[in-house]
Structure formats: structure tokens, C-alpha cells
Amino acid sequence: MCGCIYQESHKIFSPTLFDKEPEIDAQLRKYGYTGTLSGVRVAIESIRKERKRQGIKESSVRISRRQMISYVWKRKSRLLEKELQLLEQSFKMYPSLHSFHQMVQTFREAFDERNYPAFFKWLEKQLSSPNNHLYDCALRLRRDLQSIKLAFSTSYSNGVVEGHVHRLKLMKRIMYGRAKLDLLCFWQLKNA
């Protein structure tokens, strides 16, 4: 009685497995298989799992984290058709990614257009709830709000100065322990 209930309950969950096992077992015995029926069952399950994994691998496309960051950061108008399709597919699979993409694009528009009121509105929205994706980023931006406002309002940049400082530090690291200040000054003047 228990064996009958056991088989019936398994037939409810996977009827094809138990229906085809005896057939497969009979075919294998014709070719000289001497093992047990449970051995056949284990082999069938491993084959099915492998086929299922291969089906998933073939049907899905893997996107690296770097690619996804690039797709989220770029404007939709600058994405290739394939990239746009992958992004749209990702939105369907992960709905929260769509809202994150919109937040990033709103920030980017404000920054590219040098629109401080739009940036400030974006910042307030991010700070409205600790559950927002970019809440921690917005907290750090709020600390430097005065310098950010100046960056939006003026076209000046300290990028050139930073480049010279970086170059000097690089030369210093290269020459560390090999020369004194005289040679460093000479090399700096020669490269300027």
C-alpha cells in the first residue's frame, strides 16, 4: 500500500519520469546494462538538469557589470540598437533597474546642461527617503553643495592644475632615491 501511494504521489509531480524509466531501462538492458532502476533514474535526472542548464544558457544573454553601468550611464540616443535591446530586456527582468536608470539620466541631464536648480531638485528627491538607490551618494554631494554650486555656475576648472600636479608627482615617484632636487628641477624644465 505504501509503495503504491509513493508511486502515485510521484506521478502527480513528474508523470513522464516514471512513465519512461521502464522503457529506458528495457532499452539499456538490451545493450547489456546490468545496473538498477534507481541508477537509471539518477542518470536521467542528471541529463535533464544538464539540458535545462544548457537551455537557460542558450536563451539568456550575460551582461557584465561594466557593460550594464555603461548602458545605464549613456543616453539612450547614443546606445546602439543591440545595447538598447539588452537594456530594455534588463528593465523587464529587473524593474528597479528602470527607476535607477531614470535617476541617473536625470542627474546626467542636469549636469550636462549645467542646470543647478534641476540638480538641486534631483538631490532633494534622493534625500527624501533612505531607501532611494542613490541616497548615500546624495548625502556626500550635500556636504560639498557650495563647491558644486560654483561648478555649475562657472566654466572654470582646476583640471589643468591637477594635471600638472599629477605629472610632477609621477616624476618624483620615478626619480625617488635616484636624484636630488637639482635633477628634478632640470627634468621638469626640460619636459615643460
Side-chain angles (χ1 to χ4, degrees):
M1 173 120 178
C2 290
C4 183
I5 294 171
Y6 177 76
Q7 283 185 340
E8 286 177 9
S9 67
H10 271 54
K11 282 186 180 184
I12 292 169
F13 294 115
S14 59
T16 57
L17 175 67
F18 284 97
D19 291 343
K20 292 187 179 184
E21 270 182 15
E23 295 171 22
I24 295 171
D25 184 51
Q27 290 292 327
L28 290 174
R29 295 217 184 269
K30 286 181 184 175
Y31 292 105
Y33 177 72
T34 58
T36 62
L37 184 60
S38 64
V40 173
R41 186 178 301 130
V42 169
I44 290 171
E45 284 299 318
S46 66
I47 290 169
R48 284 188 176 165
K49 285 180 184 176
E50 186 60 34
R51 284 182 181 171
K52 190 174 182 179
R53 273 190 231 122
Q54 286 176 352
I56 290 171
K57 286 179 185 175
E58 290 170 3
S59 66
S60 64
V61 177
R62 303 220 9 111
I63 303 172
S64 71
R65 185 177 296 176
R66 179 176 281 170
Q67 283 176 316
M68 184 52 69
I69 291 169
S70 171
Y71 298 163
V72 169
W73 179 251
K74 284 182 185 177
R75 293 189 183 278
K76 280 190 174 182
S77 60
R78 305 203 79 206
L79 290 173
L80 301 174
E81 187 65 32
K82 182 182 177 185
E83 294 171 340
L84 190 59
Q85 288 175 352
L86 288 172
L87 186 63
E88 293 296 332
Q89 217 174 12
S90 301
F91 290 161
K92 289 176 186 171
M93 291 175 65
Y94 306 102
S96 64
L97 183 63
H98 191 266
S99 63
F100 179 74
H101 178 261
Q102 288 176 334
M103 283 186 270
V104 170
Q105 291 302 313
T106 305
F107 170 79
R108 182 163 181 172
E109 284 175 24
F111 188 77
D112 287 348
E113 295 169 5
R114 303 181 82 74
N115 185 349
Y116 182 73
F119 168 76
F120 194 73
K121 184 178 176 184
W122 176 87
L123 187 66
E124 284 179 333
K125 184 176 180 184
Q126 297 309 311
L127 292 171
S128 65
S129 171
N131 295 331
N132 286 337
H133 297 292
L134 298 172
Y135 178 77
D136 293 330
C137 176
L139 280 176
R140 286 189 292 275
L141 288 173
R142 186 175 65 178
R143 287 186 212 141
D144 273 342
L145 205 52
Q146 187 178 7
S147 58
I148 291 171
K149 187 175 184 177
L150 287 172
F152 273 93
S153 63
T154 62
S155 61
Y156 301 115
S157 171
N158 63 346
V160 176
V161 175
E162 292 293 333
H164 286 297
V165 169
H166 177 72
R167 190 169 48 86
L168 282 169
K169 286 183 178 182
L170 180 66
M171 282 189 252
K172 180 182 165 190
R173 274 188 233 116
I174 290 171
M175 298 179 69
Y176 180 75
R178 297 186 188 163
K180 295 184 180 175
L181 186 61
D182 299 338
L183 186 56
L184 180 63
C185 289
F186 173 74
W187 200 31
Q188 172 61 27
L189 291 173
K190 184 181 97 174
N191 288 330

